[in-house]
DNA sequence: CTGCGCTTTGTAATCGATTACATGCTAGCT
DNA sequence: AGCTAGCATGTAATCGATTACAAAGCGCAG
């Protein structure tokens, strides 16, 4: 390669990575040789020397969930032009136990980490911190309590409150809620927002109207069965995810109930299908693409800073209520 | 590190990557040192020496499409235990022009490649081939004509024919089709299967009943508008993707039409929401997880083979019709 | 004319692991 | 005892780029 261009390897390297320091003529000669041979730089060698990996890892709780795909697209969109590859790890896969995850997190594998999973084992992060192999981490959507890490999130409690107030405005006084999975930060934030809004509006808080769920379609359907089994039913239900809302409505529909006639439903996320579901879903819109993009931007900035250990930043993106057909005025029967 | 364990770097390396060749005692000493220091091997250096990258690249036409997420999960599921990181590239992102893609494909970036996108620029692959930097490639779902590459696919034409025959069995004689995007291999395979089945069954093939689409929700809705505008409407429509089927039904529903009363609809893919849509979607089920897993298996095998340049393999996975509520007997009006 | 400083290029060390080759040691055989 | 086979380990080269340092070439000012 260097021989072909008639210069030393050092000059070739300079021509490629710092073109401004080599003379016009040599630069041309090198580029010419590059074109002729179809030479491609060896990233592994470059990264070894530069002591970086050129990759960022994204931890996704469940790749199968369409909620995440747009966030990934947002991340990719920012990371690729900045020269970072995006490595994806599904934290809920069976092989992804602590040991495995650990090797991913370690800085010999990636320059930085975006986690969409707020329930990474605490021990893991402490181990990382201890071995000072901790790469910069940014949480997105979900996060870990403690304020140690930067995060890009939405105001979940406010979103939940918006949903409840919307239902109240429509005349609903008996409002239920389908929770997310136990122990999840989003679950508790949305639950808290829901309770706060109910209280503020002077509405009843009835334990039987709070259904278990885990964000999935299936769990929404199960919540619907629980709703059907109630003596006194809420006239409106706020689901902590659109998927659950779809499952809820779907199951009711199979039993001959109709939304919003028999019960109003509000979801959370505004996934693509929400506006095309039947009835179209009233929901809390999250800027999924922006969440990914912001998280990537933040992370890359942090990687650039070197070991500056900047204080944790918290970015809160706006949510908004999108009123569609799944919620309507309360119907006397 | 080596000093801590009281041995040479060579021995440390052997203890870690070929434990069987070092003595019991030294092995223990090394592992002990590893545990105490929290040492993590530097993948970059290892990969440089081994002349591999430890990563496989997956090219996805559109990360935002939930159809792909499960395939990715399948890939990840196989790749991670085999020691490969999964790098994801969205080929439809604006920054992903030929040059960018090229650097991804090149073997200094990844040991192999799975493409879910059958419309990679031909020039790209030729360039790769020419510069003999071509890493093993496996196509999944989509593929490129020419039989040069291994692929893991389903029998799209057969799937389409199953859909048409199903509608015929229900009494439909006027059957339409919503196509996928122009120039896509899936579009043409499914179109071909549709036409072949129509012909075989002695049904009319009416150009106005073939609607343009691009697999998206939105394009399904547009097809519905086209359907509404027809003088003589088909009583059943087979959509080349579930997303389009959902968009189609949704748009009709907004106009006061109901499925399957006014028109039967069959989709393709069996995405998660299909069984929870209202009406639940009759569709052609693809084993998405298996497609990903098989593709990864095939690719990794190929990578292991070294430059053996094995002949292209074609794996065809089974599809099946899942009859649900969106298709029903033809209703006289 | 000499010398300083700037630009451009080459030499060689370096990143951190792997591995070919050499060496030392032990066991087993004659 | 002497010799060989084979195991365990150390030495040093290697992967392919980057970069500190040195040196060469050139222009310009004193």
């Amino acid at each position: 390669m260097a021989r072909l261009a008639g210069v030393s390897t050092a000059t070739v390297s300079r021509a490629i990575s710092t073109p401004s320091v080599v003379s016009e003529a040599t630069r041309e000669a090198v580029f010419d040789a590059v074109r002729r041979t179809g030479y491609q730089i060896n990233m592994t060698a470059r990264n070894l020397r530069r002591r970086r990996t050129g990759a960022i890892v994204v931890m996704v709780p469940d790749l199968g969930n369409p909620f995440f795909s747009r966030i990934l697209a947002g991340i990719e969109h920012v990371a690729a032009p900045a020269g970072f590859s995006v490595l994806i790890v599904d934290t809920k896969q069976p092989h992804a136990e602590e040991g495995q995850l650990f090797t991913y997190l370690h800085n010999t594998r990636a320059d930085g980490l975006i986690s969409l999973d707020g329930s990474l084992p605490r021990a893991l992060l402490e181990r990382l911190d201890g071995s000072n192999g901790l790469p910069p981490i940014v949480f997105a959507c979900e996060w870990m309590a403690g304020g140690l890490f930067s995060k890009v999130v939405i105001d979940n409690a406010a979103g939940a409150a918006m949903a409840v107030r919307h239902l109240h405005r429509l005349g609903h006084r008996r409002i239920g809620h389908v929770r997310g999975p136990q122990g999840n930060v989003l679950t508790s934030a949305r639950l808290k927002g829901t309770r706060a809004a109910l209280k503020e509006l002077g509405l009843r808080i009835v334990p039987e109207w709070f259904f278990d769920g885990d964000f999935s379609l299936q769990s929404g359907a199960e919540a619907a069965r629980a709703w059907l089994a109630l003596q006194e039913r809420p006239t409106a239900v706020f689901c902590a995810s659109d998927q659950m809302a779809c499952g809820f409505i779907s199951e009711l529909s199979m039993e001959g109930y109709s939304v919003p006639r028999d019960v109003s439903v509000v979801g959370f996320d505004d996934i693509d299908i929400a506006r095309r579901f039947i009835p179209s879903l009233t929901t809390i819109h999250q800027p999924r693409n922006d969440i990914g993009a912001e998280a990537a931007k933040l992370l890359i900035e942090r990687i650039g800073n070197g070991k500056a250990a900047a204080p944790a930043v918290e970015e809160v993106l706006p949510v908004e209520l999108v009123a569609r057909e799944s919620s309507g005025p309360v119907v006397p029967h």
Side-chain angles (χ1 to χ4, degrees), chain A residues 46-69:
Chain A
R46 162 181 286 186
N47 289 335
L48 173 59
R49 181 60 226 242
R50 290 198 176 159
R51 303 166 132 282
R52 42 163 267 169
T53 67
I56 65 183
V57 167
V58 181
M59 304 248 156
V60 186
D62 173 18
L63 252 178
N65 185 336
F67 173 69
F68 296 112
S69 50

Side-chain angles (χ1 to χ4, degrees), chain A residues 10-25:
Chain A
T11 306
V12 172
S13 172
R14 281 188 279 253
I16 290 168
S17 35
T18 342
S20 61
V21 310
V22 306
S23 75
E24 178 74 24

Side-chain angles (χ1 to χ4, degrees), chain A residues 157 161 164-165 190-202 205:
Chain A
V164 172
R165 276 191 225 107
R190 292 174 194 173
L191 181 62
K192 207 171 124 192
T194 304
R195 302 183 86 106
L198 288 174
K199 203 163 169 188
E200 174 197 316
L201 296 166
I205 297 185

Side-chain angles (χ1 to χ4, degrees), chain A residues 34-251:
Chain A
V34 166
R35 264 191 299 278
R36 286 216 307 280
T37 55
Y39 165 85
Q40 279 285 312
I41 197 161
N42 182 318
M43 280 300 177
T44 311
R46 162 181 286 186
N47 289 335
L48 173 59
R49 181 60 226 242
R50 290 198 176 159
R51 303 166 132 282
R52 42 163 267 169
T53 67
I56 65 183
V57 167
V58 181
M59 304 248 156
V60 186
D62 173 18
L63 252 178
N65 185 336
F67 173 69
F68 296 112
S69 50
R70 262 181 214 264
I71 296 175
L72 289 179
I75 292 173
E76 228 265 324
H77 189 43
V78 169
F84 288 93
S85 309
V86 177
L87 247 108
I88 298 197
V89 183
D90 191 333
T91 55
K92 295 289 188 290
Q93 294 272 325
H95 58 81
E97 354 69 33
E98 202 180 309
Q100 273 292 335
L101 289 184
F102 183 72
T103 68
Y104 271 114
L105 299 211
H106 205 277
N107 62 4
T108 66
R109 199 67 167 254
D111 298 327
L113 173 68
I114 294 177
S115 181
L116 308 184
D117 183 347
S119 40
L120 296 178
R122 270 233 116 67
L124 193 66
L125 297 173
E126 274 154 22
R127 256 174 85 197
L128 277 169
D129 222 1
S131 71
N132 85 352
L134 192 70
I137 297 188
V138 172
F139 280 82
C141 298
E142 301 192 4
W143 67 92
M144 302 208 31
L148 283 168
F149 303 103
S150 290
K151 53 189 178 189
V152 176
V153 296
I154 53 157
D155 190 337
N156 287 281
M162 286 164 71
V164 172
R165 276 191 225 107
H166 166 74
L167 291 168
H168 180 262
R169 251 191 325 270
L170 287 169
H172 295 277
R173 294 299 175 262
R174 304 204 306 270
I175 298 179
H177 177 57
V178 185
R179 278 190 294 260
Q182 292 250 343
N184 183 291
V185 284
L186 302 179
T187 300
S188 41
R190 292 174 194 173
L191 181 62
K192 207 171 124 192
T194 304
R195 302 183 86 106
L198 288 174
K199 203 163 169 188
E200 174 197 316
L201 296 166
L203 300 180
R204 288 160 61 202
I205 297 185
V206 182
E208 291 78 48
W209 296 350
F210 287 76
F211 308 100
D212 285 330
D214 61 8
F215 291 148
S216 73
L217 281 164
Q218 181 57 30
S219 71
E222 280 156 22
R225 302 214 72 84
W227 181 86
L228 285 164
L230 289 176
Q231 281 289 317
E232 184 192 20
R233 294 169 180 160
T235 62
V237 173
F238 162 49
C239 299
S241 81
D242 279 356
Q243 296 229 85
M244 292 198 295
C246 290
F248 190 91
I249 297 172
S250 161
E251 187 72 16

